[in-house]
Amino acid sequence: MMQIAGLKVLRIINEPTAAALAYGFDKKKNQKIAVYDLGGGTFDISILEVSEDIVQVLSTNGDTHLGGDDFDQVLIKWILDEFKKDQGIDLAKDNLALQRIKEAAEKAKIELSTAQETEINQPFITSGVDGPKHLVMKLSRAKMEELVGDLVQETLGPVRKALEDAKMTTQNIDEIVMVGGMTRMPLVIKTVEEFFGKKLNLTVNPDEVVAVGAAVQGGVLQGDVKDVLLLDVTPLSLGIETMGSVMTTLIARNTTIPTSKSQVFSTAADSQTSVEIHVLQGERPMAADNKDLGRFILSGIPAAPRGVPQVEVKFDIDANGILNVSATDKATNKAQNITITASSGLSKEEVEKMKKEAELHADEDKKKQEAIEAKNIADSMIYTTEKMIKENGDKVKDDDKKSIEEKVEALKKVKDGTDLEAIKKSTEDLSQTVQKVGAAMYSAAQGAPGAGGPAGAGAGDAASNAGEPKKDEPVEGEIVDEKTKE
C-alpha cells in the first residue's frame, strides 16, 4: 500500500519506542524510563533503557481497548442519564443528538484539564410535547474524576506487568515520559506520579513526541543523525509445534530484536524422510492455542532410526520485526524456509487477547503440558527398551527379559490414558528394571577378555534418561512427520 503511494518503508517502530527515541536523543545519560502512552483508542506502556548511543526496549504491555474514547463514553452516559432524569427523554435513540453530545463530552473533557468547571450547552437538542428542549448542565473536574477514576486505575495493571517483565520495580525507573493527549488530564498525571513515587517528565510535547522520534529514526537511516541505536522487542513468544502437539519456544517474548536463535531437533519415527515445520506465535504451551504463522515441509531426509537425523531450525527476526524461519538437514544440507512479515502476524488486539488467555488458562495449560511430557517420555522409554532387548536379547536373562516385557506392556496400556500418575509410575518401574538389567550386563561383561569401564555405566544410564536429551544433543522425537499426523 505504501509503495503504491510512492513511499518506501525503511523501518517500522512502535509509538512508545519512537517517544523514547525522541527523549533519548536529547538526554545523553544512562537512564531507565517508562513511556506511558494513553491515546484516543489504546493504552501502551514501555520500559526502556536509554544510554548515550542506545535506546533499548526492555518490555512492552498495554490495553488495546482503553483510551480517550472510553473516557468520552463514560461522560456521554452521564450526560444522557442526567438529561433523562431532568426531562424524561432518552436521547440515546436519537443519532443526531447523540453525535452532538459526543462532541460536547470530548470538549468538556479537554476543558477540564485546565479548568475546574465547564458548561455543557447544546440548545434545541430535541423536541418534546411542550416544544424544543435545551441541554444545559454544569460538569466539575471533581465529578469527571469520580466518573473516570476506574478507567485511570485500569492503566496501572499493564504498567505493573511491564515492570515485572523488565525485572524492575518503580524504584528502578529514573524518568516517566507521558505520550498522548489523554495524559494532559490532571487525574492521570496525579495517579501515575503516585504510582511511581516521583514527578513526571512533562518536557516532551505528548502530541508531537512520536513524530519527533520517527524523524530521529529517519535521520539515523539517512545518515543525518549518528550514534543513536534503537533496539526493539518482540511482543509474543515464537516457536514450532513438536511431538505431542506442544509449542517449543525458540524466541521468548520481550526478546530484543534483531535476534537469531536456533535449535537442533530430530525425528519422531523410524525411517522418517520428511518433517513439517509449523511456526507458531503465543504464550500457551499447546500448539492449537497459539497463532498459526505458517508451515513448510523439509523433505529428502535420509531414512534412519528415530532420534538420529539432525534438523536445525533457525529463527531470524530483523529490525522491522520480519521473521525468517529455516530448517536444514545436517546430513544432506537440504534446506527450506519461510518468511513472515509483520502484516501476517497479530494486531495489537490479538496480542493482548493472547496474553490474557495465557494468564487465564495457566493452570489448565500446565496440566496439559505435564501430561504430554509424561506420554513423550513413556514413548521414548518404550522405544529405547525394545531396541535394547532386540539388539542385546542374547545377553539378557530370560527372567529379566520377561520382567521387562511385562513392564513394557503395562506402560503401553496406560500411556495413552488420562491417569498421569499411572503413566509416571509405570515409566519409573520400567526405568528401574532396565537400569538393573543394564548394570547386570556390564557386570557380566567385566569378566570377559578386553572388557573395561566402570560397571553400571552405559545402557542402564541411557535407558534411564530416555526422553531427556543431554546438552548439545538433538532433541529426540520432536518434529512429527506430516504424514503421521493425518
Side-chain angles (χ1 to χ4, degrees):
M1 187 65 75
M2 298 294 285
Q3 289 178 337
I4 294 173
L7 299 172
K8 184 180 180 183
V9 179
L10 297 178
R11 181 66 55 86
I12 302 167
I13 56 175
N14 61 40
E15 291 184 10
T17 303
L21 198 55
Y23 172 83
F25 182 59
D26 294 319
K27 310 294 179 183
K28 301 284 189 179
K29 49 187 171 181
N30 294 324
Q31 286 191 326
K32 293 178 177 65
I33 69 171
V35 181
Y36 183 101
D37 182 356
L38 185 57
T42 62
F43 168 66
D44 294 292
I45 176 73
S46 291
I47 308 299
L48 305 101
E49 188 167 18
V50 182
S51 62
E52 187 170 343
D53 56 1
I54 295 177
V55 179
Q56 181 174 4
V57 183
L58 301 178
S59 69
T60 63
N61 213 293
D63 189 333
T64 55
H65 300 288
L66 178 61
D69 293 342
D70 299 283
F71 287 72
D72 293 346
Q73 289 301 320
V74 171
L75 296 182
I76 290 168
K77 185 179 183 303
W78 177 81
I79 294 169
L80 291 172
D81 290 345
E82 289 296 306
F83 188 80
K84 186 176 182 179
K85 193 190 304 178
D86 183 44
Q87 300 291 337
I89 299 173
D90 187 4
L91 295 176
K93 299 174 183 176
D94 185 337
N95 290 335
L96 184 59
L98 204 56
Q99 180 59 35
R100 289 175 63 187
I101 291 171
K102 184 180 186 304
E103 292 170 359
E106 186 176 6
K107 182 172 178 286
K109 178 188 70 177
I110 293 169
E111 288 178 354
L112 289 173
S113 290
T114 54
Q116 290 296 327
E117 188 177 75
T118 187
E119 182 180 76
I120 300 168
N121 190 339
Q122 292 293 314
F124 302 99
I125 191 72
T126 189
S127 295
V129 291
D130 53 348
K133 301 289 183 181
H134 309 295
L135 190 156
V136 181
M137 59 183 69
K138 298 280 189 182
L139 178 60
S140 67
R141 180 189 291 179
K143 181 62 180 177
M144 183 188 71
E145 290 180 349
E146 178 189 329
L147 293 170
V148 303
D150 289 345
L151 292 177
V152 177
Q153 288 298 319
E154 280 183 35
T155 66
L156 299 182
V159 175
R160 292 187 183 95
K161 185 62 178 171
L163 286 169
E164 182 184 328
D165 288 345
K167 296 179 174 56
M168 290 186 188
T169 66
T170 55
Q171 301 300 315
N172 301 124
I173 303 299
D174 299 302
E175 296 278 0
I176 303 99
V177 178
M178 307 296 274
V179 180
M182 279 302 304
T183 60
R184 287 192 171 94
M185 181 180 284
L187 179 62
V188 173
I189 294 172
K190 179 185 175 186
T191 301
V192 177
E193 282 183 345
E194 288 178 351
F195 179 81
F196 283 98
K198 53 176 66 73
K199 288 289 182 182
L200 308 182
N201 186 318
L202 301 174
T203 59
V204 187
N205 185 322
D207 293 319
E208 296 176 358
V209 64
V210 172
V212 171
V216 170
Q217 182 61 30
V220 171
L221 295 174
Q222 189 171 294
D224 295 339
V225 179
K226 300 186 185 300
D227 301 327
V228 177
L229 176 63
L230 171 64
L231 299 174
D232 212 333
V233 297
T234 180
L236 288 171
S237 299
L238 296 161
I240 64 171
E241 179 179 355
T242 55
M243 194 169 75
S245 298
V246 299
M247 172 175 166
T248 298
T249 299
L250 272 80
I251 297 178
R253 77 184 175 104
N254 282 328
T255 297
T256 301
I257 59 174
T259 189
S260 177
K261 296 286 175 68
S262 65
Q263 188 171 335
V264 176
F265 295 88
S266 193
T267 50
D270 290 338
S271 303
Q272 185 174 326
T273 58
S274 64
V275 293
E276 180 183 48
I277 308 297
H278 182 194
V279 186
L280 300 164
Q281 181 182 39
E283 302 306 316
R284 307 281 297 276
M286 303 306 296
D289 297 324
N290 293 300
K291 171 74 173 180
D292 175 4
L293 293 184
R295 300 169 184 259
F296 65 95
I297 293 171
L298 175 63
S299 57
I301 299 172
R306 61 181 278 183
V308 173
Q310 294 191 30
V311 178
E312 182 180 41
V313 178
K314 187 175 183 181
F315 276 46
D316 278 302
I317 308 180
D318 68 15
N320 293 317
I322 296 173
L323 171 66
N324 184 71
V325 182
S326 63
T328 306
D329 172 36
K330 289 194 168 185
T332 62
N333 285 326
K334 286 187 177 180
Q336 287 289 344
N337 72 310
I338 187 173
T339 298
I340 299 159
T341 62
S343 61
S344 62
L346 294 167
S347 65
K348 281 186 176 181
E349 289 82 0
E350 289 174 309
V351 169
E352 293 307 319
K353 181 184 176 185
M354 292 183 76
K355 285 180 181 178
K356 287 176 182 176
E357 285 180 350
E359 293 172 3
L360 186 65
H361 298 284
D363 292 338
E364 176 190 340
D365 288 343
K366 186 179 179 183
K367 290 177 182 177
K368 283 184 182 178
Q369 191 172 19
E370 286 179 356
I372 293 293
E373 287 175 355
K375 289 178 182 179
N376 285 349
I377 292 172
D379 273 330
S380 187
M381 189 75 222
I382 290 168
Y383 173 82
T384 306
T385 304
E386 289 181 335
K387 185 180 178 183
M388 184 193 79
I389 294 297
K390 184 179 178 181
E391 293 175 353
N392 302 284
D394 57 332
K395 299 174 184 176
V396 180
K397 295 177 182 178
D398 290 341
D399 288 345
D400 290 338
K401 188 184 295 184
K402 184 180 178 183
S403 175
I404 289 174
E405 288 171 350
E406 286 174 354
K407 289 188 181 340
V408 166
E409 287 305 314
L411 182 54
K412 284 182 178 179
K413 286 179 182 178
V414 299
K415 76 179 180 66
D416 294 322
T418 57
D419 190 341
L420 185 58
E421 290 305 315
I423 297 171
K424 288 182 176 179
K425 185 178 184 304
S426 292
T427 303
E428 181 62 25
D429 287 348
L430 178 57
S431 177
Q432 293 293 333
T433 302
V434 170
Q435 284 187 60
K436 289 176 183 177
V437 172
M441 287 170 59
Y442 274 92
S443 295
Q446 269 199 326
D461 290 336
S464 67
N465 289 325
E468 300 175 12
K470 298 177 182 177
K471 189 177 181 183
D472 299 327
E473 287 186 357
V475 181
E476 181 181 336
E478 284 287 1
I479 304 179
V480 183
D481 185 351
E482 73 283 353
K483 293 177 184 176
T484 65
K485 294 173 67 179
E486 293 176 358

